[in-house]
Amino acid sequence: MDDKIFFNTEDGIKLEGDIKIPVHDEKLPCGIICHPHPQYGGDMDNNVVIGIEKALVSSNFISFRFNFRGVGESGGYSTGGGKEHLDVIAALD
């Protein structure tokens, strides 16, 4: 399964993500992938992020990658690290 999803942070920012589930099994481990800094080409479609995603899925992990606030179709704007931890918490939830 491959699905683009949207989810909200605690402070109300709508974030874009993509989840891949290699087989339908709710007990699979999951990897959350955070992209590199957007000022240096980082987003959830970055080639390093996609490589990690492929490795996780081929090892039967659920893979979840997302764009931090202000990147891609995610709302809000970068806070320079001030609130991005809320993005990670929302992805984990």
Side-chain angles (χ1 to χ4, degrees), residues 8-60:
N8 293 314
T9 63
E10 178 182 291
D11 61 341
I13 303 297
K14 182 178 175 182
L15 301 179
E16 166 191 27
D18 184 88
I19 189 166
K20 286 192 172 45
I21 303 173
V23 294
H24 187 68
D25 183 349
E26 296 172 3
K27 296 181 180 180
L28 289 176
C30 180
I32 307 291
I33 308 167
C34 299
H35 64 73
H37 197 292
Q39 288 184 340
Y40 304 104
D43 64 16
M44 73 178 200
D45 296 318
N46 174 280
N47 62 342
V48 174
V49 172
I50 297 297
I52 294 168
E53 174 186 67
K54 288 178 181 178
L56 287 170
V57 171
S58 70
S59 298
N60 284 326

mmCIF file of all heavy atoms in Angstrom, residues 8-60:
data_model
loop_
_atom_site.group_PDB
_atom_site.id
_atom_site.type_symbol
_atom_site.label_atom_id
_atom_site.label_comp_id
_atom_site.label_asym_id
_atom_site.label_seq_id
_atom_site.Cartn_x
_atom_site.Cartn_y
_atom_site.Cartn_z
ATOM 1 N N ASN A 8 -2.221 16.641 11.185
ATOM 2 C CA ASN A 8 -2.058 17.935 11.846
ATOM 3 C C ASN A 8 -1.136 17.847 13.056
ATOM 4 O O ASN A 8 -1.149 16.852 13.780
ATOM 5 C CB ASN A 8 -3.416 18.483 12.287
ATOM 6 C CG ASN A 8 -4.277 18.841 11.106
ATOM 7 O OD1 ASN A 8 -3.827 19.471 10.163
ATOM 8 N ND2 ASN A 8 -5.527 18.412 11.131
ATOM 9 N N THR A 9 -0.412 18.926 13.262
ATOM 10 C CA THR A 9 0.439 19.034 14.443
ATOM 11 C C THR A 9 -0.393 19.567 15.609
ATOM 12 O O THR A 9 -1.515 20.057 15.421
ATOM 13 C CB THR A 9 1.613 20.003 14.191
ATOM 14 O OG1 THR A 9 1.082 21.307 13.956
ATOM 15 C CG2 THR A 9 2.469 19.551 13.022
ATOM 16 N N GLU A 10 0.192 19.513 16.775
ATOM 17 C CA GLU A 10 -0.454 20.016 17.992
ATOM 18 C C GLU A 10 -0.828 21.497 17.878
ATOM 19 O O GLU A 10 -1.831 21.943 18.431
ATOM 20 C CB GLU A 10 0.513 19.795 19.154
ATOM 21 C CG GLU A 10 0.049 20.280 20.491
ATOM 22 C CD GLU A 10 1.121 20.032 21.542
ATOM 23 O OE1 GLU A 10 1.372 18.859 21.867
ATOM 24 O OE2 GLU A 10 1.709 21.029 22.009
ATOM 25 N N ASP A 11 -0.013 22.261 17.138
ATOM 26 C CA ASP A 11 -0.298 23.687 16.986
ATOM 27 C C ASP A 11 -1.078 24.005 15.715
ATOM 28 O O ASP A 11 -1.146 25.141 15.275
ATOM 29 C CB ASP A 11 0.987 24.525 17.080
ATOM 30 C CG ASP A 11 2.003 24.201 15.997
ATOM 31 O OD1 ASP A 11 1.922 23.124 15.374
ATOM 32 O OD2 ASP A 11 2.903 25.033 15.768
ATOM 33 N N GLY A 12 -1.707 22.978 15.111
ATOM 34 C CA GLY A 12 -2.642 23.179 14.014
ATOM 35 C C GLY A 12 -2.073 23.282 12.615
ATOM 36 O O GLY A 12 -2.775 23.702 11.700
ATOM 37 N N ILE A 13 -0.822 22.893 12.415
ATOM 38 C CA ILE A 13 -0.225 22.935 11.076
ATOM 39 C C ILE A 13 -0.541 21.619 10.354
ATOM 40 O O ILE A 13 -0.353 20.533 10.892
ATOM 41 C CB ILE A 13 1.302 23.138 11.156
ATOM 42 C CG1 ILE A 13 1.647 24.419 11.923
ATOM 43 C CG2 ILE A 13 1.930 23.141 9.762
ATOM 44 C CD1 ILE A 13 1.155 25.687 11.286
ATOM 45 N N LYS A 14 -1.029 21.729 9.115
ATOM 46 C CA LYS A 14 -1.340 20.563 8.293
ATOM 47 C C LYS A 14 -0.076 20.135 7.553
ATOM 48 O O LYS A 14 0.523 20.935 6.823
ATOM 49 C CB LYS A 14 -2.441 20.906 7.292
ATOM 50 C CG LYS A 14 -2.880 19.762 6.420
ATOM 51 C CD LYS A 14 -4.016 20.231 5.506
ATOM 52 C CE LYS A 14 -4.413 19.162 4.525
ATOM 53 N NZ LYS A 14 -5.486 19.658 3.631
ATOM 54 N N LEU A 15 0.352 18.881 7.768
ATOM 55 C CA LEU A 15 1.574 18.367 7.147
ATOM 56 C C LEU A 15 1.246 17.279 6.127
ATOM 57 O O LEU A 15 0.280 16.543 6.279
ATOM 58 C CB LEU A 15 2.515 17.792 8.205
ATOM 59 C CG LEU A 15 2.987 18.749 9.301
ATOM 60 C CD1 LEU A 15 3.889 18.015 10.278
ATOM 61 C CD2 LEU A 15 3.693 19.953 8.719
ATOM 62 N N GLU A 16 2.105 17.172 5.131
ATOM 63 C CA GLU A 16 1.986 16.181 4.072
ATOM 64 C C GLU A 16 2.900 14.999 4.382
ATOM 65 O O GLU A 16 4.038 15.179 4.802
ATOM 66 C CB GLU A 16 2.429 16.849 2.763
ATOM 67 C CG GLU A 16 2.700 15.933 1.622
ATOM 68 C CD GLU A 16 3.376 16.642 0.455
ATOM 69 O OE1 GLU A 16 4.084 17.649 0.655
ATOM 70 O OE2 GLU A 16 3.187 16.148 -0.664
ATOM 71 N N GLY A 17 2.401 13.793 4.157
ATOM 72 C CA GLY A 17 3.223 12.611 4.367
ATOM 73 C C GLY A 17 2.896 11.518 3.365
ATOM 74 O O GLY A 17 1.951 11.629 2.580
ATOM 75 N N ASP A 18 3.695 10.470 3.402
ATOM 76 C CA ASP A 18 3.498 9.310 2.537
ATOM 77 C C ASP A 18 3.836 8.069 3.353
ATOM 78 O O ASP A 18 4.890 8.013 3.992
ATOM 79 C CB ASP A 18 4.408 9.399 1.310
ATOM 80 C CG ASP A 18 4.161 8.253 0.347
ATOM 81 O OD1 ASP A 18 3.272 8.412 -0.510
ATOM 82 O OD2 ASP A 18 4.838 7.222 0.450
ATOM 83 N N ILE A 19 2.930 7.100 3.337
ATOM 84 C CA ILE A 19 3.148 5.866 4.075
ATOM 85 C C ILE A 19 3.157 4.696 3.099
ATOM 86 O O ILE A 19 2.367 4.665 2.152
ATOM 87 C CB ILE A 19 2.076 5.679 5.178
ATOM 88 C CG1 ILE A 19 2.444 4.511 6.082
ATOM 89 C CG2 ILE A 19 0.686 5.533 4.593
ATOM 90 C CD1 ILE A 19 1.644 4.462 7.369
ATOM 91 N N LYS A 20 4.101 3.798 3.315
ATOM 92 C CA LYS A 20 4.176 2.573 2.513
ATOM 93 C C LYS A 20 4.143 1.387 3.469
ATOM 94 O O LYS A 20 4.919 1.331 4.418
ATOM 95 C CB LYS A 20 5.444 2.550 1.681
ATOM 96 C CG LYS A 20 5.393 3.493 0.503
ATOM 97 C CD LYS A 20 6.538 3.225 -0.449
ATOM 98 C CE LYS A 20 6.438 4.008 -1.723
ATOM 99 N NZ LYS A 20 6.106 5.391 -1.635
ATOM 100 N N ILE A 21 3.229 0.461 3.200
ATOM 101 C CA ILE A 21 3.099 -0.760 3.994
ATOM 102 C C ILE A 21 3.360 -1.928 3.052
ATOM 103 O O ILE A 21 2.569 -2.171 2.134
ATOM 104 C CB ILE A 21 1.699 -0.850 4.635
ATOM 105 C CG1 ILE A 21 1.445 0.391 5.496
ATOM 106 C CG2 ILE A 21 1.570 -2.128 5.452
ATOM 107 C CD1 ILE A 21 0.038 0.501 6.050
ATOM 108 N N PRO A 22 4.476 -2.651 3.238
ATOM 109 C CA PRO A 22 4.856 -3.693 2.287
ATOM 110 C C PRO A 22 3.881 -4.868 2.240
ATOM 111 O O PRO A 22 3.638 -5.428 1.178
ATOM 112 C CB PRO A 22 6.233 -4.143 2.752
ATOM 113 C CG PRO A 22 6.335 -3.704 4.166
ATOM 114 C CD PRO A 22 5.445 -2.512 4.318
ATOM 115 N N VAL A 23 3.337 -5.255 3.366
ATOM 116 C CA VAL A 23 2.328 -6.319 3.441
ATOM 117 C C VAL A 23 1.309 -5.888 4.483
ATOM 118 O O VAL A 23 1.616 -5.102 5.377
ATOM 119 C CB VAL A 23 2.930 -7.698 3.827
ATOM 120 C CG1 VAL A 23 3.843 -8.216 2.737
ATOM 121 C CG2 VAL A 23 3.653 -7.633 5.142
ATOM 122 N N HIS A 24 0.103 -6.397 4.349
ATOM 123 C CA HIS A 24 -0.932 -5.992 5.297
ATOM 124 C C HIS A 24 -0.739 -6.744 6.613
ATOM 125 O O HIS A 24 -1.211 -7.863 6.787
ATOM 126 C CB HIS A 24 -2.324 -6.253 4.732
ATOM 127 C CG HIS A 24 -3.403 -5.696 5.600
ATOM 128 N ND1 HIS A 24 -3.579 -4.340 5.770
ATOM 129 C CD2 HIS A 24 -4.335 -6.294 6.355
ATOM 130 C CE1 HIS A 24 -4.583 -4.135 6.588
ATOM 131 N NE2 HIS A 24 -5.070 -5.301 6.968
ATOM 132 N N ASP A 25 -0.001 -6.113 7.521
ATOM 133 C CA ASP A 25 0.253 -6.695 8.833
ATOM 134 C C ASP A 25 0.448 -5.545 9.810
ATOM 135 O O ASP A 25 1.427 -4.818 9.742
ATOM 136 C CB ASP A 25 1.494 -7.590 8.800
ATOM 137 C CG ASP A 25 1.763 -8.280 10.122
ATOM 138 O OD1 ASP A 25 1.138 -7.928 11.145
ATOM 139 O OD2 ASP A 25 2.604 -9.187 10.134
ATOM 140 N N GLU A 26 -0.491 -5.375 10.707
ATOM 141 C CA GLU A 26 -0.448 -4.249 11.641
ATOM 142 C C GLU A 26 0.660 -4.366 12.678
ATOM 143 O O GLU A 26 0.904 -3.436 13.432
ATOM 144 C CB GLU A 26 -1.802 -4.109 12.325
ATOM 145 C CG GLU A 26 -2.902 -3.765 11.336
ATOM 146 C CD GLU A 26 -4.286 -3.818 11.954
ATOM 147 O OE1 GLU A 26 -4.405 -4.068 13.163
ATOM 148 O OE2 GLU A 26 -5.249 -3.616 11.206
ATOM 149 N N LYS A 27 1.355 -5.491 12.728
ATOM 150 C CA LYS A 27 2.401 -5.679 13.733
ATOM 151 C C LYS A 27 3.804 -5.426 13.178
ATOM 152 O O LYS A 27 4.783 -5.704 13.840
ATOM 153 C CB LYS A 27 2.317 -7.085 14.320
ATOM 154 C CG LYS A 27 1.030 -7.322 15.077
ATOM 155 C CD LYS A 27 0.976 -8.701 15.660
ATOM 156 C CE LYS A 27 -0.331 -8.901 16.400
ATOM 157 N NZ LYS A 27 -0.440 -10.215 16.989
ATOM 158 N N LEU A 28 3.891 -4.895 11.972
ATOM 159 C CA LEU A 28 5.200 -4.609 11.392
ATOM 160 C C LEU A 28 5.845 -3.424 12.109
ATOM 161 O O LEU A 28 5.168 -2.497 12.535
ATOM 162 C CB LEU A 28 5.065 -4.258 9.908
ATOM 163 C CG LEU A 28 4.703 -5.373 8.955
ATOM 164 C CD1 LEU A 28 4.521 -4.813 7.548
ATOM 165 C CD2 LEU A 28 5.757 -6.454 8.967
ATOM 166 N N PRO A 29 7.176 -3.427 12.203
ATOM 167 C CA PRO A 29 7.857 -2.241 12.740
ATOM 168 C C PRO A 29 7.735 -1.097 11.735
ATOM 169 O O PRO A 29 7.488 -1.320 10.547
ATOM 170 C CB PRO A 29 9.308 -2.703 12.887
ATOM 171 C CG PRO A 29 9.452 -3.849 11.948
ATOM 172 C CD PRO A 29 8.098 -4.496 11.838
ATOM 173 N N CYS A 30 7.908 0.099 12.219
ATOM 174 C CA CYS A 30 7.743 1.285 11.375
ATOM 175 C C CYS A 30 8.957 2.193 11.503
ATOM 176 O O CYS A 30 9.488 2.381 12.596
ATOM 177 C CB CYS A 30 6.484 2.039 11.797
ATOM 178 S SG CYS A 30 6.170 3.522 10.828
ATOM 179 N N GLY A 31 9.372 2.741 10.382
ATOM 180 C CA GLY A 31 10.441 3.736 10.370
ATOM 181 C C GLY A 31 9.871 5.083 9.963
ATOM 182 O O GLY A 31 9.160 5.185 8.963
ATOM 183 N N ILE A 32 10.136 6.112 10.764
ATOM 184 C CA ILE A 32 9.739 7.483 10.447
ATOM 185 C C ILE A 32 10.972 8.179 9.875
ATOM 186 O O ILE A 32 12.021 8.235 10.530
ATOM 187 C CB ILE A 32 9.262 8.251 11.708
ATOM 188 C CG1 ILE A 32 8.181 7.482 12.455
ATOM 189 C CG2 ILE A 32 8.834 9.670 11.346
ATOM 190 C CD1 ILE A 32 6.867 7.375 11.755
ATOM 191 N N ILE A 33 10.857 8.706 8.665
ATOM 192 C CA ILE A 33 12.006 9.304 7.990
ATOM 193 C C ILE A 33 11.853 10.827 7.963
ATOM 194 O O ILE A 33 10.884 11.357 7.420
ATOM 195 C CB ILE A 33 12.136 8.782 6.553
ATOM 196 C CG1 ILE A 33 12.129 7.249 6.536
ATOM 197 C CG2 ILE A 33 13.401 9.330 5.897
ATOM 198 C CD1 ILE A 33 11.943 6.668 5.151
ATOM 199 N N CYS A 34 12.812 11.515 8.551
ATOM 200 C CA CYS A 34 12.857 12.979 8.533
ATOM 201 C C CYS A 34 13.825 13.423 7.441
ATOM 202 O O CYS A 34 14.932 12.898 7.351
ATOM 203 C CB CYS A 34 13.336 13.511 9.880
ATOM 204 S SG CYS A 34 12.273 13.079 11.268
ATOM 205 N N HIS A 35 13.406 14.363 6.632
ATOM 206 C CA HIS A 35 14.242 14.804 5.511
ATOM 207 C C HIS A 35 15.327 15.793 5.952
ATOM 208 O O HIS A 35 15.224 16.414 7.007
ATOM 209 C CB HIS A 35 13.385 15.393 4.390
ATOM 210 C CG HIS A 35 12.624 16.627 4.740
ATOM 211 N ND1 HIS A 35 13.219 17.853 4.908
ATOM 212 C CD2 HIS A 35 11.304 16.833 4.922
ATOM 213 C CE1 HIS A 35 12.305 18.760 5.166
ATOM 214 N NE2 HIS A 35 11.127 18.157 5.200
ATOM 215 N N PRO A 36 16.368 15.937 5.104
ATOM 216 C CA PRO A 36 17.422 16.919 5.383
ATOM 217 C C PRO A 36 16.866 18.355 5.338
ATOM 218 O O PRO A 36 15.750 18.591 4.885
ATOM 219 C CB PRO A 36 18.426 16.698 4.252
ATOM 220 C CG PRO A 36 18.104 15.384 3.651
ATOM 221 C CD PRO A 36 16.649 15.150 3.908
ATOM 222 N N HIS A 37 17.678 19.294 5.761
ATOM 223 C CA HIS A 37 17.288 20.707 5.821
ATOM 224 C C HIS A 37 16.808 21.188 4.448
ATOM 225 O O HIS A 37 17.500 20.999 3.442
ATOM 226 C CB HIS A 37 18.478 21.548 6.280
ATOM 227 C CG HIS A 37 18.099 22.901 6.753
ATOM 228 N ND1 HIS A 37 17.611 23.879 5.915
ATOM 229 C CD2 HIS A 37 18.123 23.437 7.994
ATOM 230 C CE1 HIS A 37 17.365 24.967 6.602
ATOM 231 N NE2 HIS A 37 17.664 24.728 7.884
ATOM 232 N N PRO A 38 15.644 21.838 4.378
ATOM 233 C CA PRO A 38 15.107 22.271 3.090
ATOM 234 C C PRO A 38 15.973 23.294 2.360
ATOM 235 O O PRO A 38 15.933 23.366 1.132
ATOM 236 C CB PRO A 38 13.735 22.856 3.436
ATOM 237 C CG PRO A 38 13.680 22.981 4.902
ATOM 238 C CD PRO A 38 14.733 22.100 5.483
ATOM 239 N N GLN A 39 16.779 24.071 3.057
ATOM 240 C CA GLN A 39 17.657 25.029 2.376
ATOM 241 C C GLN A 39 18.752 24.326 1.584
ATOM 242 O O GLN A 39 19.409 24.940 0.754
ATOM 243 C CB GLN A 39 18.273 26.000 3.372
ATOM 244 C CG GLN A 39 17.291 27.004 3.904
ATOM 245 C CD GLN A 39 17.947 28.028 4.815
ATOM 246 O OE1 GLN A 39 19.037 27.821 5.346
ATOM 247 N NE2 GLN A 39 17.274 29.148 4.996
ATOM 248 N N TYR A 40 18.929 23.034 1.834
ATOM 249 C CA TYR A 40 19.957 22.265 1.126
ATOM 250 C C TYR A 40 19.336 21.143 0.305
ATOM 251 O O TYR A 40 19.943 20.099 0.101
ATOM 252 C CB TYR A 40 20.966 21.709 2.128
ATOM 253 C CG TYR A 40 21.579 22.797 2.972
ATOM 254 C CD1 TYR A 40 21.183 22.985 4.280
ATOM 255 C CD2 TYR A 40 22.512 23.677 2.429
ATOM 256 C CE1 TYR A 40 21.713 24.006 5.056
ATOM 257 C CE2 TYR A 40 23.043 24.708 3.187
ATOM 258 C CZ TYR A 40 22.641 24.864 4.499
ATOM 259 O OH TYR A 40 23.163 25.883 5.250
ATOM 260 N N GLY A 41 18.112 21.358 -0.158
ATOM 261 C CA GLY A 41 17.448 20.396 -1.030
ATOM 262 C C GLY A 41 16.658 19.320 -0.305
ATOM 263 O O GLY A 41 16.247 18.343 -0.916
ATOM 264 N N GLY A 42 16.426 19.490 0.968
ATOM 265 C CA GLY A 42 15.728 18.467 1.730
ATOM 266 C C GLY A 42 14.221 18.576 1.644
ATOM 267 O O GLY A 42 13.653 19.637 1.856
ATOM 268 N N ASP A 43 13.595 17.473 1.282
ATOM 269 C CA ASP A 43 12.149 17.300 1.367
ATOM 270 C C ASP A 43 11.884 15.805 1.367
ATOM 271 O O ASP A 43 12.811 15.007 1.277
ATOM 272 C CB ASP A 43 11.398 18.023 0.236
ATOM 273 C CG ASP A 43 11.701 17.488 -1.144
ATOM 274 O OD1 ASP A 43 12.255 16.375 -1.286
ATOM 275 O OD2 ASP A 43 11.385 18.185 -2.127
ATOM 276 N N MET A 44 10.629 15.405 1.493
ATOM 277 C CA MET A 44 10.335 13.976 1.602
ATOM 278 C C MET A 44 10.596 13.219 0.304
ATOM 279 O O MET A 44 10.605 11.998 0.293
ATOM 280 C CB MET A 44 8.907 13.740 2.094
ATOM 281 C CG MET A 44 7.813 14.012 1.130
ATOM 282 S SD MET A 44 6.237 13.615 1.904
ATOM 283 C CE MET A 44 5.215 13.439 0.448
ATOM 284 N N ASP A 45 10.836 13.942 -0.806
ATOM 285 C CA ASP A 45 11.155 13.299 -2.081
ATOM 286 C C ASP A 45 12.651 13.332 -2.385
ATOM 287 O O ASP A 45 13.070 12.982 -3.494
ATOM 288 C CB ASP A 45 10.361 13.975 -3.209
ATOM 289 C CG ASP A 45 8.868 13.780 -3.032
ATOM 290 O OD1 ASP A 45 8.439 12.660 -2.683
ATOM 291 O OD2 ASP A 45 8.116 14.754 -3.239
ATOM 292 N N ASN A 46 13.458 13.732 -1.429
ATOM 293 C CA ASN A 46 14.914 13.753 -1.555
ATOM 294 C C ASN A 46 15.406 12.334 -1.847
ATOM 295 O O ASN A 46 14.870 11.362 -1.311
ATOM 296 C CB ASN A 46 15.478 14.291 -0.230
ATOM 297 C CG ASN A 46 16.969 14.245 -0.154
ATOM 298 O OD1 ASN A 46 17.526 13.201 0.114
ATOM 299 N ND2 ASN A 46 17.602 15.374 -0.368
ATOM 300 N N ASN A 47 16.439 12.195 -2.669
ATOM 301 C CA ASN A 47 16.911 10.864 -3.051
ATOM 302 C C ASN A 47 17.410 10.035 -1.867
ATOM 303 O O ASN A 47 17.263 8.810 -1.858
ATOM 304 C CB ASN A 47 17.974 10.949 -4.155
ATOM 305 C CG ASN A 47 19.219 11.702 -3.736
ATOM 306 O OD1 ASN A 47 19.214 12.461 -2.766
ATOM 307 N ND2 ASN A 47 20.294 11.513 -4.474
ATOM 308 N N VAL A 48 17.956 10.660 -0.851
ATOM 309 C CA VAL A 48 18.395 9.918 0.340
ATOM 310 C C VAL A 48 17.180 9.387 1.104
ATOM 311 O O VAL A 48 17.159 8.228 1.526
ATOM 312 C CB VAL A 48 19.273 10.804 1.253
ATOM 313 C CG1 VAL A 48 19.596 10.104 2.545
ATOM 314 C CG2 VAL A 48 20.549 11.212 0.522
ATOM 315 N N VAL A 49 16.150 10.213 1.240
ATOM 316 C CA VAL A 49 14.921 9.803 1.922
ATOM 317 C C VAL A 49 14.268 8.640 1.177
ATOM 318 O O VAL A 49 13.862 7.641 1.783
ATOM 319 C CB VAL A 49 13.943 10.993 2.058
ATOM 320 C CG1 VAL A 49 12.592 10.545 2.581
ATOM 321 C CG2 VAL A 49 14.543 12.067 2.951
ATOM 322 N N ILE A 50 14.192 8.731 -0.144
ATOM 323 C CA ILE A 50 13.600 7.657 -0.947
ATOM 324 C C ILE A 50 14.425 6.378 -0.817
ATOM 325 O O ILE A 50 13.872 5.282 -0.722
ATOM 326 C CB ILE A 50 13.475 8.081 -2.430
ATOM 327 C CG1 ILE A 50 12.535 9.279 -2.561
ATOM 328 C CG2 ILE A 50 13.024 6.917 -3.300
ATOM 329 C CD1 ILE A 50 11.104 9.040 -2.141
ATOM 330 N N GLY A 51 15.747 6.499 -0.779
ATOM 331 C CA GLY A 51 16.606 5.327 -0.598
ATOM 332 C C GLY A 51 16.364 4.643 0.741
ATOM 333 O O GLY A 51 16.295 3.408 0.822
ATOM 334 N N ILE A 52 16.209 5.432 1.792
ATOM 335 C CA ILE A 52 15.913 4.870 3.117
ATOM 336 C C ILE A 52 14.542 4.203 3.103
ATOM 337 O O ILE A 52 14.367 3.098 3.631
ATOM 338 C CB ILE A 52 15.985 5.961 4.204
ATOM 339 C CG1 ILE A 52 17.422 6.465 4.347
ATOM 340 C CG2 ILE A 52 15.457 5.448 5.543
ATOM 341 C CD1 ILE A 52 17.561 7.728 5.173
ATOM 342 N N GLU A 53 13.579 4.852 2.470
ATOM 343 C CA GLU A 53 12.231 4.286 2.364
ATOM 344 C C GLU A 53 12.279 2.909 1.676
ATOM 345 O O GLU A 53 11.694 1.933 2.167
ATOM 346 C CB GLU A 53 11.335 5.228 1.570
ATOM 347 C CG GLU A 53 9.953 4.666 1.277
ATOM 348 C CD GLU A 53 9.169 5.572 0.368
ATOM 349 O OE1 GLU A 53 9.546 5.721 -0.816
ATOM 350 O OE2 GLU A 53 8.186 6.140 0.853
ATOM 351 N N LYS A 54 12.968 2.829 0.552
ATOM 352 C CA LYS A 54 13.068 1.559 -0.182
ATOM 353 C C LYS A 54 13.718 0.477 0.666
ATOM 354 O O LYS A 54 13.281 -0.675 0.654
ATOM 355 C CB LYS A 54 13.844 1.759 -1.487
ATOM 356 C CG LYS A 54 13.068 2.526 -2.522
ATOM 357 C CD LYS A 54 13.892 2.735 -3.790
ATOM 358 C CE LYS A 54 13.109 3.533 -4.810
ATOM 359 N NZ LYS A 54 13.874 3.798 -6.026
ATOM 360 N N ALA A 55 14.762 0.838 1.401
ATOM 361 C CA ALA A 55 15.434 -0.138 2.268
ATOM 362 C C ALA A 55 14.497 -0.631 3.366
ATOM 363 O O ALA A 55 14.468 -1.830 3.680
ATOM 364 C CB ALA A 55 16.694 0.473 2.882
ATOM 365 N N LEU A 56 13.733 0.271 3.965
ATOM 366 C CA LEU A 56 12.790 -0.126 5.006
ATOM 367 C C LEU A 56 11.719 -1.070 4.462
ATOM 368 O O LEU A 56 11.463 -2.135 5.037
ATOM 369 C CB LEU A 56 12.124 1.107 5.631
ATOM 370 C CG LEU A 56 12.981 1.960 6.550
ATOM 371 C CD1 LEU A 56 12.263 3.266 6.891
ATOM 372 C CD2 LEU A 56 13.334 1.207 7.819
ATOM 373 N N VAL A 57 11.108 -0.689 3.341
ATOM 374 C CA VAL A 57 10.024 -1.487 2.771
ATOM 375 C C VAL A 57 10.531 -2.859 2.339
ATOM 376 O O VAL A 57 9.873 -3.881 2.581
ATOM 377 C CB VAL A 57 9.337 -0.735 1.607
ATOM 378 C CG1 VAL A 57 8.354 -1.631 0.867
ATOM 379 C CG2 VAL A 57 8.626 0.508 2.132
ATOM 380 N N SER A 58 11.727 -2.909 1.754
ATOM 381 C CA SER A 58 12.264 -4.209 1.325
ATOM 382 C C SER A 58 12.628 -5.099 2.510
ATOM 383 O O SER A 58 12.758 -6.308 2.374
ATOM 384 C CB SER A 58 13.477 -4.023 0.404
ATOM 385 O OG SER A 58 14.582 -3.529 1.129
ATOM 386 N N SER A 59 12.751 -4.494 3.694
ATOM 387 C CA SER A 59 13.025 -5.261 4.922
ATOM 388 C C SER A 59 11.745 -5.484 5.733
ATOM 389 O O SER A 59 11.797 -5.821 6.908
ATOM 390 C CB SER A 59 14.049 -4.515 5.779
ATOM 391 O OG SER A 59 15.271 -4.388 5.095
ATOM 392 N N ASN A 60 10.589 -5.284 5.093
ATOM 393 C CA ASN A 60 9.268 -5.457 5.710
ATOM 394 C C ASN A 60 9.013 -4.523 6.882
ATOM 395 O O ASN A 60 8.437 -4.927 7.895
ATOM 396 C CB ASN A 60 9.013 -6.914 6.095
ATOM 397 C CG ASN A 60 8.691 -7.755 4.884
ATOM 398 O OD1 ASN A 60 8.065 -7.283 3.931
ATOM 399 N ND2 ASN A 60 9.122 -8.991 4.895
#
